[in-house]
Amino acid sequence: MRPTFALGACLLMFAPALATAQDAEQGRELAKRWCSSCHVVEPSAAAAPAVGLPSFPAIAARADLSADRLRAAMNPQHSRMPDFALSRRQQDDLIAYIYSLRRK
């Protein structure tokens, strides 16, 4: 087997996994666009636009944080959230961004 063919075959084999990888930076952009009218989405922001709603850094700091809980909170039928009709990929990116706000 030629090396270039083997490399191409490997890339094709791993391409689906790379395409579905979570992207925290894309999640940050989504959060700024869609979530920042109600939540503090940046770690350096001083106050929340909507009183009583947790900031993204506060959500990230929760001990019981899980991707399933975050996904459920993004579901407008299960919470007070507006229906942004987020795709699974967009939800994964937002979850990756929220996890990135955890203090190390």
Side-chain angles (χ1 to χ4, degrees), residues 52-76:
L53 294 178
S55 69
F56 276 29
I59 293 168
R62 292 182 58 143
D64 62 345
L65 182 69
S66 72
D68 288 337
R69 287 185 74 132
L70 289 171
R71 203 174 308 286
M74 290 180 208
N75 182 343

Side-chain angles (χ1 to χ4, degrees), residues 19-95:
T20 60
Q22 296 174 346
D23 185 342
E25 185 56 33
Q26 184 62 32
R28 179 177 177 260
E29 293 303 315
L30 289 170
K32 285 173 30 181
R33 185 176 334 132
W34 291 336
C35 309
S36 64
S37 61
C38 297
H39 295 274
V40 170
V41 298
E42 299 285 349
S44 59
V51 177
L53 294 178
S55 69
F56 276 29
I59 293 168
R62 292 182 58 143
D64 62 345
L65 182 69
S66 72
D68 288 337
R69 287 185 74 132
L70 289 171
R71 203 174 308 286
M74 290 180 208
N75 182 343
Q77 296 170 340
H78 194 69
S79 69
R80 300 185 303 172
M81 295 278 291
D83 187 1
F84 292 117
L86 297 172
S87 70
R88 177 74 179 212
R89 172 66 189 257
Q90 290 170 321
Q91 290 178 359
D92 288 345
D93 292 346
L94 278 169
I95 290 167

